[in-house]
Amino acid sequence: MEITPRQFEIIEAAGKILTASGVSGLTIKNLAKEMQFSESAIYRHFASKEKIIVAMLNFLADSIDSRLTNVIKSSDPEENFKVLFSEQISFFKKNPHFVVAVFSDGLMEESQLINETLLKLMNVKTKHLMPLIMEGQQKGIFTNAITTDELIHIIMGTFKLQMFKWRIANFQFDITRSGDNMVQSILTLIKTKQK
């Protein structure tokens, strides 16, 4: 997805408003005020609040896809698992407003298009996680007692909960340390027991 530098500024400002005020606070009027633009200047770049949110989620999906494609280099599924989550946590630590975009109250009630874009975002993460888990299972590193799909649900649910806790704590705890602990805990659960 191609976005202009000005559209990116609008997306970032929208993320900051979502962080401070939630979905109800994200209005074109508040966005224009935050950016010191006129409302018509915002409308030159995006037709609606929905289009801004969709652009934010699409940007996030494309960013995740690109970054995760570039970080998975090892032939060791366990190492790739650690790198994948470390990269995600590092990105969100630098860009907490994107965490807010995914976890804002009421976002899923906004529109069907936003829901579809959120699903696309989840699918991007699955696209990178699925082959990694499958390879780990085939090599006997990760358990086969649970299907690949079920493992991915457990892993992604755990990651989502970690990000949600960080969000509701107003980003006040060390997400890198907590994230590393989460990854180690997941690995403890999914790895096969070595004799």
Side-chain angles (χ1 to χ4, degrees):
M1 178 190 116
E2 289 296 318
I3 62 167
T4 66
R6 181 65 78 201
Q7 286 175 319
F8 184 72
E9 285 178 43
I10 293 169
I11 286 170
E12 290 219 304
K16 289 173 184 160
I17 291 170
L18 282 171
T19 303
S21 310
V23 174
S24 62
L26 179 58
T27 63
I28 298 299
K29 182 176 184 170
N30 288 344
L31 193 52
K33 185 177 175 185
E34 170 77 20
M35 297 193 71
Q36 299 176 348
F37 283 2
S38 66
E39 290 180 45
S40 61
I42 302 286
Y43 283 117
R44 278 197 292 275
H45 297 282
F46 291 105
S48 65
K49 169 179 152 176
E50 176 190 54
K51 299 290 185 195
I52 294 168
I53 293 169
V54 167
M56 182 186 301
L57 295 170
N58 278 325
F59 173 80
L60 181 55
D62 292 346
S63 173
I64 288 170
D65 195 23
S66 172
R67 284 180 296 100
L68 296 187
T69 297
N70 292 325
V71 297
I72 297 178
K73 295 180 167 74
S74 171
S75 60
D76 177 1
E78 183 178 348
E79 187 57 36
N80 285 336
F81 186 88
K82 290 177 187 175
V83 167
L84 184 136
F85 283 99
S86 174
E87 173 62 29
Q88 277 299 93
I89 290 165
S90 175
F91 174 80
F92 283 128
K93 185 174 183 176
K94 290 179 195 143
N95 303 280
H97 53 280
F98 285 122
V99 171
V100 174
V102 179
F103 295 111
S104 284
D105 291 339
L107 192 62
M108 289 184 283
E109 289 78 37
E110 283 292 303
S111 77
Q112 185 59 37
L113 180 59
I114 290 172
N115 287 345
E116 289 166 8
T117 311
L118 282 166
L119 187 59
K120 174 189 170 187
L121 183 60
M122 285 191 293
N123 289 337
V124 165
K125 187 74 177 272
T126 303
K127 169 185 147 182
H128 293 279
L129 194 54
M130 175 83 69
L132 194 154
I133 296 299
M134 287 174 75
E135 181 186 6
Q137 287 178 311
Q138 289 163 358
K139 290 182 173 179
I141 296 167
F142 300 148
T143 184
N144 282 299
I146 303 171
T147 68
T148 305
D149 281 342
E150 290 166 341
L151 276 177
I152 287 171
H153 286 169
I154 292 165
I155 293 163
M156 288 180 63
T158 303
F159 179 74
K160 188 173 180 179
L161 180 60
Q162 184 71 48
M163 292 294 109
F164 183 69
K165 283 169 57 179
W166 187 49
R167 161 71 181 108
I168 60 174
N170 203 27
F171 313 111
Q172 293 302 308
F173 63 80
D174 184 350
I175 190 59
T176 303
R177 188 175 57 76
S178 295
D180 288 345
N181 291 342
M182 176 202 71
V183 168
Q184 281 307 128
S185 296
I186 292 171
L187 285 170
T188 299
L189 291 171
I190 71 170
K191 283 175 65 176
T192 56
K193 306 295 181 244
Q194 301 298 320
K195 295 180 181 178

